[in-house]
């Protein structure tokens, strides 16, 4: 994912928001990325889901229903 800087930045933002301290995740984003932790994988998955909804720069918001 290092080649997709936008997706990586979104995953980092999600990771840092959802897992703000050691109480929530044992390591920071960079180490979690290296290890491929479940916390990292969940953040990447959330970023991939969010991409077409918020990161694509669309003029219109998609309808979810």
């Amino acid at each position: 994912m290092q080649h997709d800087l936008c997706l990586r930045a979104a995953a980092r933002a999600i990771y840092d928001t959802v897992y703000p301290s050691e109480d929530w995740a044992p390591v920071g984003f960079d180490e979690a990325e290296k290890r491929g932790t479940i916390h990292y994988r969940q953040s990447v998955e959330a970023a991939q889901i969010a991409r077409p909804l918020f990161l694509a720069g669309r003029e219109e918001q998609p309808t979810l229903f």
Side-chain angles (χ1 to χ4, degrees):
M1 184 175 61
Q2 292 180 358
H3 64 280
D4 190 335
L5 299 179
C6 185
L7 184 63
R8 187 173 189 271
R12 178 186 289 272
I14 292 166
Y15 187 95
D16 291 344
T17 300
V18 176
Y19 308 114
S21 69
E22 288 182 4
D23 294 335
W24 296 95
V27 296
F29 179 81
D30 292 327
E31 187 64 27
E33 183 178 32
K34 289 178 190 174
R35 295 182 187 185
T37 67
I38 185 66
H39 305 91
Y40 169 77
R41 294 191 312 267
Q42 289 172 335
S43 296
V44 170
E45 182 178 358
Q48 289 171 331
I49 291 168
R51 170 180 258 163
L53 300 175
F54 303 106
L55 302 176
R58 295 182 181 179
E59 293 180 12
E60 295 181 30
Q61 290 291 330
T63 303
L64 298 178
F65 301 98

